[in-house]
Amino acid sequence: MKSGIVALVGRPNAGKSTLLNNILRQKVSITSPKPQTTRFPIQAVYEDERGQIVFVDTPGIFAKVKDQVSSRINLRTEEAIEQGVDLIAYIVDHTRQRAEEENKVLGIVRKVNIPKILVINKVDVKAPTHIVQYRFMEEEFDEVIELSAFTGKHLPLLLNAIFERLPEGPAIVDTANMTQPGINLDSKMFIAEIIREKAFLTLRKEVPYTLTTVVDDVAERENGVMYIKARILTSADRYKGMIIGKNASTIKEIGATARKELEVASSKKVYLELTVEVDAHWADYI
Ligand SMILES: Nc1nc2c(ncn2[C@@H]2O[C@H](COP(=O)(O)OP(=O)(O)OP(=O)(O)O)[C@@H](O)[C@H]2O)c(=O)[nH]1
Ligand SMILES: [Mg+2]
């Protein structure tokens, strides 16, 4: 069998996490139209008769680091690539112009001498396209695949190309006793991520970059209801006000959409107690 670690890299919003979820046919990594939705590497295992792939979804690299949080997040991606990856899948979004960020990601990718596949994502969108600009990068890669992470078009081509280039070897992760597809998040972290995704989808502008989510308690009550206590931590009072919203409408929407998804994922009734707090050290939780 073949086995190896495959890093999904690229600038923010390219569709790395959407691609991972669609390959696994299960949500393991949160997604949103906001840049740097993914904040730390997410590992998840794909297996079929050909072998095992340990995917590492990484945070999108920002070229111009604005604050300490995104500089820490950028560093995590660089570390993930340097820590013994067998293959890189470099995801680009052809609907956006090539920019400085692309050079930064390329610079990181060039440092490692392993097989590299260029993935041109979002081919379900025909216009606008800047595909010609990305074609100039082709010669740096072993293969180029155009696909849609969203519709799933050509995903099997990517899997073929990955397996072709992975070494022969035993499974890296023993998935025999796992219910989840071998992901590196415990249930509290996963729930916190789902709530953070709903906050990213509900809140506008820069507010998502001032917050993080923490789950304090998960307990199954005798009546079968899953009770979850969670907090959104933010940096300042004005953001707290925006997260709560008029008549608490915003926090209610975040809570309701998160609860619905957690109910589907767990097949249980969920009671979610969600509060918002100002915490000067909120960024320490990221
Ligand atoms: N139309 C279309 N949209 C896509 C496709 N793949 C991803 N998207 C959208 O692009 C946005 C970003 O997707 P993510 O998967 O969160 O992107 P990411 O590369 O993981 O982003 P970061 O975690 O911020 O680095 C979301 O709104 C997705 O729905 C695709 O193939 N087609
Ligand atoms: Mg992501």
Side-chain angles (χ1 to χ4, degrees), residues 16-17 29-31 37-38 57-60:
K16 301 173 290 297
S17 304
S29 190
I30 64 168
T31 68
T37 300
T38 306
D57 179 21
T58 66

Side-chain angles (χ1 to χ4, degrees), residues 207-226:
V207 191
Y209 304 101
T210 68
L211 67 81
T212 194
T213 48
V214 193
V215 170
D216 297 308
D217 196 19
V218 182
E220 203 175 329
R221 296 266 163 90
E222 274 169 18
N223 56 7
V225 174
M226 184 130 84

Side-chain angles (χ1 to χ4, degrees), residues 11-12 61-64 96 99-106:
R11 68 202 268 209
I61 301 268
F62 269 133
K64 289 200 184 85
R96 289 173 68 205
E100 203 186 320
E101 265 167 0
E102 220 65 78
N103 297 336
K104 174 133 189 178
V105 188
L106 261 181

Side-chain angles (χ1 to χ4, degrees), residues 17-283:
S17 304
T18 306
L19 180 63
L20 179 62
N21 292 340
N22 214 333
I23 289 173
L24 295 180
R25 295 178 187 280
Q26 186 168 349
K27 178 146 158 191
V28 292
S29 190
I30 64 168
T31 68
S32 90
K34 305 256 180 358
Q36 241 171 28
T37 300
T38 306
R39 284 179 171 170
F40 50 85
I42 304 274
Q43 290 157 23
V45 182
Y46 173 87
E47 286 180 312
D48 68 21
E49 64 289 348
R50 290 169 288 186
Q52 185 184 71
I53 305 170
V54 178
F55 282 103
V56 185
D57 179 21
T58 66
I61 301 268
F62 269 133
K64 289 200 184 85
V65 173
K66 288 169 284 192
D67 52 54
Q68 221 190 337
V69 172
S70 46
S71 103
R72 200 182 321 151
I73 294 173
N74 272 0
L75 205 62
R76 286 180 183 161
T77 295
E78 294 188 39
E79 283 168 3
I81 296 168
E82 284 159 9
Q83 280 166 12
V85 170
D86 297 293
L87 186 148
I88 285 180
Y90 183 137
I91 326 293
V92 297
D93 174 355
H94 76 95
T95 68
R96 289 173 68 205
Q97 295 248 23
R98 253 190 82 166
E100 203 186 320
E101 265 167 0
E102 220 65 78
N103 297 336
K104 174 133 189 178
V105 188
L106 261 181
I108 295 166
V109 167
R110 275 185 192 133
K111 283 197 235 159
V112 282
N113 187 21
I114 50 174
K116 290 161 199 172
I117 299 172
L118 178 64
V119 176
I120 298 179
N121 187 30
K122 309 197 186 182
V123 295
D124 56 298
V125 185
K126 299 291 173 232
T129 182
H130 303 279
I131 202 158
V132 179
Q133 298 176 359
Y134 293 100
R135 290 250 170 235
F136 278 112
M137 291 164 53
E138 275 184 13
E139 59 189 32
E140 304 213 28
F141 291 84
D142 299 286
E143 189 155 348
V144 182
I145 292 173
E146 294 180 17
L147 55 71
S148 168
F150 192 67
T151 66
K153 186 181 176 192
H154 289 168
L155 287 197
L157 295 183
L158 175 61
L159 287 170
N160 286 346
I162 291 173
F163 274 121
E164 231 169 69
R165 288 176 176 80
L166 284 187
E168 289 287 335
I172 296 165
V173 177
D174 180 8
T175 52
N177 299 318
M178 283 180 176
T179 45
Q180 289 270 41
I183 99 167
N184 63 333
L185 301 183
D186 64 24
S187 59
K188 275 189 182 170
M189 285 163 87
F190 185 72
I191 294 166
E193 284 289 275
I194 298 290
I195 298 168
R196 193 166 64 79
E197 178 185 74
K198 302 315 172 200
F200 269 54
L201 292 172
T202 308
L203 294 160
R204 279 188 284 165
K205 294 189 181 150
E206 80 283 14
V207 191
Y209 304 101
T210 68
L211 67 81
T212 194
T213 48
V214 193
V215 170
D216 297 308
D217 196 19
V218 182
E220 203 175 329
R221 296 266 163 90
E222 274 169 18
N223 56 7
V225 174
M226 184 130 84
Y227 170 84
I228 298 166
K229 190 172 185 305
R231 284 174 295 154
I232 297 177
L233 305 181
T234 187
S235 57
D237 272 322
R238 67 197 163 102
Y239 292 126
K240 180 177 170 178
M242 289 159 101
I243 296 165
I244 292 172
K246 210 173 167 196
N247 300 323
S249 58
T250 308
I251 184 77
K252 274 185 194 156
E253 186 180 337
I254 296 168
T257 47
R259 181 178 56 75
K260 265 187 217 146
E261 182 163 331
L262 292 167
E263 286 187 338
V264 172
S266 66
S267 309
K268 294 198 175 87
K269 199 164 165 42
V270 170
Y271 180 84
L272 175 59
E273 185 189 321
L274 185 60
T275 51
V276 187
E277 272 176 24
V278 174
D279 184 334
H281 303 289
W282 71 280

